Amino acid sequence: MLVVKIADIAQRAGVSPATVSQVLNGKYKENRPSMQARAAQIRELAAEMGYKPNAAARSIVRGRFNAISLLIDYGGWGQGISRHLLGEVMAVLNEVDMQLTVTQVPRSVDGEGQAEIFKQRCVDGLLTWFTTGAPQLFVDRCAAERVPSVFLNTKLPRDCIYPDDLGAARKLTQCFLEQGLRRIAYVGQDIPAASRHYSVDDRLAGYLGAMHDAKRKPLVVAPSRVGDELGIHDYINRCLEDFKPEAVICYGGLEESVVTAPWYRGCPIGFFTSASHIYFQSPHWVMRTPDAHMGREGVRALLRKIKTGRSFASQAIPFELTVRPGTSLRRRAPAHAEDES
Amino acid sequence: MLVVKIADIAQRAGVSPATVSQVLNGKYKENRPSMQARAAQIRELAAEMGYKPNAAARSIVRGRFNAISLLIDYGGWGQGISRHLLGEVMAVLNEVDMQLTVTQVPRSVDGEGQAEIFKQRCVDGLLTWFTTGAPQLFVDRCAAERVPSVFLNTKLPRDCIYPDDLGAARKLTQCFLEQGLRRIAYVGQDIPAASRHYSVDDRLAGYLGAMHDAKRKPLVVAPSRVGDELGIHDYINRCLEDFKPEAVICYGGLEESVVTAPWYRGCPIGFFTSASHIYFQSPHWVMRTPDAHMGREGVRALLRKIKTGRSFASQAIPFELTVRPGTSLRRRAPAHAEDES
DNA sequence: TTGTAGGCGTTATCAT
DNA sequence: ATGATAACGCCTACAA
């Protein structure tokens, strides 16, 4: 008897399988002492024999899998997906006793790539993370497959949970303005619209909106990625050097170009990142992507959708702003470097 | 007919469910043209109706789940688990058409924490990642549960796949010695044996062994973590300043204390890390934890174990050494900062 | 209160 | 060659 099943317990206990099932699922009315004793005996026997319910058998009779799938695009592991997001997703699922399966999307999300994903029915819903947002083609496919889905990091009218880049950029700019800083520059990116994440447009729009409201002249530097890395770096800093900014707001990743440039003299910089640690000592205003929050809201939305079958209006999650004044101290080793072994 | 099943197809095609099943699984002998036509019709019908096999039903009749679980300890998401490892695990599983479920271990791995994990039977095997190695208590439980298991990042005689810290430290020291460097210091950690990862001992042993072979006097600095961060930093550097090392080997994470210290003048340092990017410009010799390699070997070992039922002798995976000479250039922005958004 | 019987979707076996 | 039929492990409505 390699693997114990309900029938085994029933036989040893001298009752029917149905009774065992009821007892083990708490659907056994234990009114009288004799029944309590019986139930206790069955439970003890089950534990002793090492009984574990077979999830597959359960799924088939209950009509659901008690599992959702986290779908991550191919580039996702290089850049985007965060352990905080993953941790939060697992925590929520744990509460409702569901499993999480993780799947990597094939290179391309066109016809055959999709086929791979929807080949079999093994989860109740789909949580997706695409580094530059879920492609429309894929969103449509999910609808066609009638699989309850939630799209993280994607800005569409419905069924999405995404970071509020627009609001974050606006807030950041306003903070600088309230400090009395006026010459605020924005360093963005020039990316072809086709492969562009919504955040590229939204952060820029947030900055421009706040500057416009304050009647300040904006300065936008948006190098294209076509040139080499050095070219971008130099291009950004030539522009900034001319402008003599009192503060700089950078699209995530470009802040390093600024703080390491020769002209830079420690003016406040604001930028967006998902990293836990910041490795330089300039005064900085960091907008952290709300990974954990997004994960939590994402699963919850998905669970609701699975239960009700209804789609929902997309939800923007606010960034978290932390401010660190500059310091002339030598940089210290972090107490526990998160990304090091 | 919300979800299509084999019976539906069979009815529409005017054949029995068994025939449909055979056709769809390629176990239908298509010898004669008439049979080929029939098979083609069934396949077309299945595609048209959007049939997807139900994984649970399959599992129950085939007796296995076609899935393994990756178990990660609570602290794992803050420190250890690597996306490269995860990516490689998924890639291997994809080839054999299996699913990966990810599970977070409860706070403690004692009795009740374990119970949570083994509550139900839903995978064919367990791949585990514990930041400081799998506790014996847990390893024993896996054996008792008769679940095929592989323990990553753990050094026990059997069923483990772990980074070769001993060999890596020895190699690193030998490299320095071959460069003609003689005064080589080692910066380690003083951690209570109970909660100590094997790498703490092994790296030190590798260093000491190589120094001994070369008949060089070792210098070991091993601050305890009891004091505050500042205390550790200062302690390390007071020792090193006195010793005047020509090279320093650091346990992962401590290298920052060295390169930012006032006495430090750019001597070569060697250290261990799982990070993709190094953020300082000293000449350094980096031993990278072989995450991807470990993931690949880990799943493969687990799949073999599931198939054969036999345990295996543990396997050490070599680190990957990369050397970067020091530079006086200003640090540039990385082309694609992996940990940034 | 307890147990019997039927069904969930799929596949393997064995007559036809 | 094809198709009934019987499992697989579990759950539950209903009958005893």
Side-chain angles (χ1 to χ4, degrees):
Chain A
M1 190 186 307
L2 215 78
V3 49
V4 183
K5 46 194 163 186
I6 280 195
D8 300 327
I9 303 175
Q11 191 183 0
R12 289 259 307 253
V15 298
S16 81
T19 306
V20 175
S21 173
Q22 284 170 204
V23 168
L24 262 29
N25 289 297
K27 298 190 176 171
Y28 188 76
K29 318 255 180 301
E30 305 180 26
N31 303 325
R32 289 199 307 231
S34 70
M35 298 173 68
Q36 289 188 11
R38 190 173 273 278
Q41 183 218 353
I42 290 175
R43 266 191 287 267
E44 192 182 344
L45 208 49
E48 178 187 317
M49 297 171 72
Y51 168 76
K52 306 278 149 45
N54 181 318
R58 273 202 171 155
S59 295
I60 203 174
V61 63
R62 301 225 255 239
R64 61 205 153 76
F65 297 93
N66 262 323
I68 69 164
S69 188
L70 177 58
L71 218 63
I72 299 161
D73 69 325
Y74 205 68
W77 290 109
Q79 282 199 32
I81 194 68
S82 135
R83 52 179 174 270
H84 301 115
L85 189 145
L86 203 39
E88 207 63 33
V89 169
M90 290 194 293
V92 173
L93 287 180
N94 211 26
E95 289 170 15
V96 294
D97 203 55
M98 290 181 72
Q99 295 277 322
L100 176 69
T101 82
V102 178
T103 310
Q104 199 170 27
V105 176
R107 277 63 59 192
S108 73
V109 200
D110 59 3
E112 48 182 334
Q114 292 182 13
E116 183 70 21
I117 298 171
F118 297 105
K119 204 170 44 184
Q120 61 173 223
R121 197 168 237 93
C122 59
V123 290
D124 301 319
L126 239 47
L127 196 59
T128 78
W129 175 282
F130 283 83
T131 309
T132 56
Q136 188 64 48
L137 207 64
F138 181 80
V139 173
D140 294 342
R141 178 68 180 257
C142 289
E145 297 282 349
R146 286 208 200 75
V147 179
S149 318
V150 167
F151 308 96
L152 299 173
N153 198 35
T154 303
K155 192 177 178 182
L156 295 172
R158 301 196 66 77
D159 300 322
C160 292
I161 305 284
Y162 60 94
D164 182 18
D165 289 272
L166 185 67
R170 169 177 285 276
K171 175 94 178 287
L172 199 49
T173 312
Q174 285 170 343
C175 284
F176 280 162
L177 289 166
E178 282 166 15
Q179 298 277 314
L181 302 165
R182 290 170 297 183
R183 302 178 61 80
I184 305 172
Y186 183 86
V187 179
Q189 300 188 134
D190 180 20
I191 292 181
S195 59
R196 201 193 308 166
H197 190 234
Y198 75 90
S199 65
V200 174
D201 294 324
D202 276 16
R203 291 181 191 174
L204 177 56
Y207 160 78
L208 289 176
M211 291 296 272
H212 180 264
D213 291 351
K215 301 201 168 51
R216 295 291 168 202
K217 199 175 131 230
L219 175 83
V220 175
V221 183
S224 90
R225 287 261 182 197
V226 294
D228 61 336
E229 179 196 331
L230 195 68
I232 292 175
H233 176 88
D234 285 345
Y235 175 74
I236 290 174
N237 282 293
R238 272 203 312 275
C239 296
L240 291 179
E241 196 171 359
D242 290 347
F243 185 65
K244 297 186 180 41
E246 295 167 1
V248 184
I249 295 177
C250 304
Y251 193 91
L254 298 175
E255 67 276 7
E256 290 222 17
S257 266
V258 176
V259 297
T260 60
W263 71 268
Y264 179 73
R265 288 290 175 276
C267 76
I269 59 167
F271 55 93
F272 304 75
T273 188
S274 62
S276 327
H277 283 89
I278 306 303
Y279 288 90
F280 50 79
Q281 62 195 41
S282 317
H284 47 243
W285 303 52
V286 183
M287 281 292 184
R288 267 169 231 280
T289 54
D291 294 325
H293 193 171
M294 221 171 12
R296 196 166 55 247
E297 291 305 315
V299 226
R300 287 190 178 153
L302 181 55
L303 294 181
R304 278 196 302 272
K305 202 173 165 185
I306 290 173
K307 188 177 291 180
T308 68
R310 286 203 301 272
S311 94
F312 63 95
S314 294
Q315 188 186 349
I317 309 290
F319 278 70
E320 291 146 18
L321 173 63
T322 62
V323 179
R324 210 196 67 167
T327 167
S328 60
L329 290 175
R330 203 80 196 256
R331 178 163 56 99
R332 314 310 299 257
H336 295 282
E338 278 212 26
D339 289 324
E340 317 269 327
S341 92
Chain B
M1 190 186 308
L2 216 76
V3 48
V4 183
K5 46 193 164 185
I6 280 197
D8 299 328
I9 304 174
Q11 193 184 357
R12 289 258 307 250
V15 298
S16 81
T19 307
V20 175
S21 174
Q22 283 171 205
V23 169
L24 263 29
N25 289 298
K27 298 186 177 172
Y28 187 76
K29 320 255 179 304
E30 306 180 25
N31 302 325
R32 290 196 306 228
S34 69
M35 298 172 67
Q36 288 187 12
R38 186 170 278 272
Q41 182 217 356
I42 290 175
R43 266 190 287 266
E44 192 181 343
L45 209 50
E48 178 187 317
M49 298 172 70
Y51 168 76
K52 305 278 149 46
N54 181 318
R58 270 200 175 157
S59 294
I60 202 176
V61 64
R62 301 225 254 239
R64 59 203 155 78
F65 297 93
N66 262 323
I68 69 164
S69 188
L70 177 59
L71 219 64
I72 300 162
D73 69 325
Y74 205 69
W77 289 110
Q79 282 198 33
I81 194 70
S82 136
R83 51 178 173 273
H84 302 114
L85 188 145
L86 203 38
E88 207 63 33
V89 169
M90 289 195 292
V92 173
L93 287 180
N94 211 27
E95 288 170 16
V96 295
D97 203 56
M98 290 180 74
Q99 295 278 322
L100 176 69
T101 81
V102 178
T103 309
Q104 198 170 27
V105 176
R107 276 64 57 193
S108 72
V109 201
D110 58 5
E112 47 182 334
Q114 292 181 12
E116 184 70 21
I117 298 171
F118 297 105
K119 202 171 44 183
Q120 62 173 227
R121 198 168 235 92
C122 58
V123 290
D124 301 318
L126 240 46
L127 196 59
T128 77
W129 174 281
F130 282 84
T131 308
T132 55
Q136 188 64 47
L137 206 64
F138 181 80
V139 174
D140 294 341
R141 178 67 180 258
C142 289
E145 296 282 349
R146 286 207 201 77
V147 179
S149 320
V150 168
F151 309 96
L152 300 173
N153 197 34
T154 303
K155 192 176 180 183
L156 295 172
R158 301 196 68 76
D159 300 322
C160 292
I161 306 283
Y162 59 93
D164 182 19
D165 289 273
L166 185 68
R170 170 177 285 276
K171 175 95 177 287
L172 199 49
T173 312
Q174 285 170 342
C175 284
F176 280 160
L177 289 166
E178 282 166 15
Q179 298 279 312
L181 302 165
R182 289 170 299 183
R183 301 178 62 78
I184 304 172
Y186 182 87
V187 178
Q189 300 186 135
D190 179 20
I191 291 181
S195 60
R196 201 191 310 166
H197 190 235
Y198 75 90
S199 65
V200 174
D201 295 324
D202 276 16
R203 291 182 191 174
L204 178 57
Y207 160 79
L208 290 176
M211 292 295 272
H212 180 265
D213 290 351
K215 302 199 169 54
R216 295 290 168 201
K217 199 175 131 230
L219 175 83
V220 175
V221 183
S224 91
R225 286 262 181 197
V226 293
D228 61 336
E229 178 198 331
L230 194 70
I232 292 175
H233 176 89
D234 285 345
Y235 175 74
I236 290 174
N237 282 293
R238 272 204 311 276
C239 297
L240 291 180
E241 196 171 357
D242 290 346
F243 185 65
K244 295 185 182 43
E246 294 167 1
V248 184
I249 295 178
C250 304
Y251 193 91
L254 297 175
E255 66 277 6
E256 290 222 16
S257 266
V258 176
V259 297
T260 59
W263 72 268
Y264 180 71
R265 289 287 175 276
C267 76
I269 60 168
F271 55 93
F272 303 75
T273 188
S274 61
S276 326
H277 284 88
I278 306 305
Y279 288 89
F280 50 79
Q281 62 194 39
S282 317
H284 48 243
W285 303 53
V286 183
M287 282 293 184
R288 265 170 232 280
T289 53
D291 295 324
H293 192 171
M294 222 174 5
R296 197 166 55 247
E297 292 306 314
V299 225
R300 286 190 178 152
L302 180 54
L303 293 181
R304 277 196 302 271
K305 201 173 167 186
I306 290 173
K307 188 178 289 179
T308 67
R310 285 204 302 271
S311 94
F312 62 96
S314 295
Q315 188 187 347
I317 309 290
F319 279 69
E320 291 146 17
L321 173 63
T322 62
V323 179
R324 210 196 68 167
T327 167
S328 59
L329 290 176
R330 204 80 197 258
R331 178 164 54 101
R332 313 312 298 256
H336 294 281
E338 277 212 27
D339 288 324
E340 317 268 327
S341 93

